[in-house]
């Protein structure tokens, strides 16, 4: 069963506008972590932001914020003031497990294109 | 602090051959994970190693194997290569607190394998 869903295969946003990339997840583990990564055309995976399941506040990192709605199992990424360099694939990911193993599962990704 | 280093960056093999990919994690990181990325299947978890032990394995055939050395460096091997094994193979390392992985995955630049 797919555990990470990203329903937007591709998105366009005007430069300087804000954009929200959707992510829903499924887990029965009460302790988990959620990540967003950016992958430009060069292929490197760049960490953007992290949210732990017990974190009370939504995570923020510069222009990135994570809209964490635990009851809805939703972890949307909000990018404010989009820049041309934000054009890339964006992956939502979830870490499950505790001391016995570590597994991070990635969603299918959303391709974001920023239009000048 | 040096990042995650993967070698080789690019390689071309023919069907039936085998290949070994290497990954050196960030100094001090004891957990190493491997991922396969293809256009059709996205990012798929291969396996995760901690202190020379495989803690978890993804849904891949036995042709895919790996190991971790005492210095945390890891190798993965694919035997009897098939055309479908053409992919970007990404290695990632994580910091740990005890046996629990914490924080984000730090990725290498990947090894791009082409099978002809």
């Amino acid at each position: 069963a797919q555990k990470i869903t990203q329903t937007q295969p591709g998105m366009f946003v005007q430069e300087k506008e804000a954009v929200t990339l959707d992510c829903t997840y499924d887990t029965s583990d009460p302790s988990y972590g959620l990540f967003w990564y950016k992958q430009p055309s060069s292929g490197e995976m760049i960490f953007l932001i992290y949210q732990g399941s017990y974190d009370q506040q939504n995570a923020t990192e510069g222009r990135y914020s994570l809209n964490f709605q635990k009851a809805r199992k939703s972890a949307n990424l909000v990018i404010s003031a989009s820049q041309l360099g934000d054009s890339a694939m964006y992956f939502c990911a979830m870490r499950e497990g505790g001391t016995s193993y570590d597994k991070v599962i990635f969603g299918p990704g959303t391709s974001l294109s920023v239009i000048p | 602090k040096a990042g995650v280093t993967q070698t080789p960056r690019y390689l071309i093999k023919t069907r039936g051959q085998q290949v070994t990919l290497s990954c050196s994690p960030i100094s001090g990181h004891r957990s190493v994970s491997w991922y396969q990325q293809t256009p059709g299947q996205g990012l798929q978890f291969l396996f995760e190693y901690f202190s020379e032990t495989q803690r978890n394995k993804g849904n891949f055939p036995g042709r895919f194997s790996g190991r971790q050395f005492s210095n945390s460096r890891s190798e993965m091997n694919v035997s009897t290569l098939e055309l479908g094994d053409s992919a970007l193979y990404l290695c990632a390392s994580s910091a740990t607190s005890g046996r629990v992985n914490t924080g984000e995955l730090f990725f290498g630049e990947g090894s791009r394998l082409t099978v002809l």
Side-chain angles (χ1 to χ4, degrees):
Chain A
Q2 189 171 1
K3 292 196 171 185
I4 303 284
T5 303
Q6 295 179 254
T7 57
Q8 309 148 313
M11 287 194 70
F12 291 88
V13 64
Q14 205 75 37
E15 193 178 5
K16 299 180 184 177
E17 298 279 304
V19 63
T20 299
L21 306 183
D22 294 341
C23 172
T24 57
Y25 60 92
D26 183 32
T27 181
S28 57
D29 191 335
S31 177
Y32 55 89
L34 296 159
F35 306 82
W36 277 92
Y37 281 86
K38 170 185 177 181
Q39 187 179 42
S41 56
S42 58
E44 60 186 311
M45 293 287 282
I46 302 168
F47 166 74
L48 296 177
I49 197 165
Y50 170 80
Q51 180 87 40
S53 59
Y54 295 118
D55 293 343
Q56 294 297 312
Q57 294 194 334
N58 287 346
T60 59
E61 290 283 351
R63 294 187 299 111
Y64 305 106
S65 60
L66 200 152
N67 184 1
F68 181 46
Q69 298 186 44
K70 194 170 181 177
R72 296 181 58 188
K73 294 188 175 179
S74 168
N76 298 340
L77 176 71
V78 180
I79 305 175
S80 63
S82 297
Q83 302 172 356
L84 296 178
D86 294 335
S87 294
M89 282 292 291
Y90 288 80
F91 293 96
C92 178
M94 177 174 66
R95 161 178 281 148
E96 292 180 305
T99 59
S100 60
Y101 70 92
D102 183 80
K103 183 174 181 179
V104 178
I105 302 166
F106 286 79
T110 295
S111 177
L112 178 67
S113 297
V114 180
I115 305 166
Chain B
K1 196 174 188 180
V4 178
T5 304
Q6 289 188 249
T7 57
R9 291 289 314 282
Y10 302 91
L11 65 166
I12 300 173
K13 294 285 188 178
T14 56
R15 279 181 298 174
Q17 286 187 311
Q18 70 145 12
V19 65
T20 299
L21 309 178
S22 179
C23 172
S24 293
I26 289 174
S27 177
H29 287 189
R30 296 163 65 190
S31 170
V32 174
S33 304
W34 288 89
Y35 293 81
Q36 181 197 64
Q37 186 176 26
T38 60
Q41 299 296 319
L43 273 154
Q44 293 188 283
F45 173 80
L46 279 158
F47 23 66
E48 188 249 354
Y49 288 88
F50 178 87
S51 290
E52 302 178 66
T53 301
Q54 185 183 90
R55 291 200 293 189
N56 202 12
K57 189 177 191 300
N59 189 25
F60 278 82
R63 300 185 297 106
F64 291 81
S65 63
R67 58 179 175 168
Q68 187 181 34
F69 302 96
S70 58
N71 62 358
S72 294
R73 190 177 70 84
S74 177
E75 288 182 348
M76 68 162 283
N77 183 277
V78 188
S79 62
T80 319
L81 284 166
E82 300 177 0
L83 295 178
D85 297 333
S86 294
L88 179 66
Y89 290 89
L90 291 162
C91 169
S93 71
S94 292
T96 53
S97 174
R99 293 182 59 82
V100 178
N101 286 11
T102 61
E104 72 268 32
L105 294 174
F106 293 84
F107 282 89
E109 293 180 295
S111 294
R112 188 168 294 280
L113 170 65
T114 301
V115 182
L116 301 176

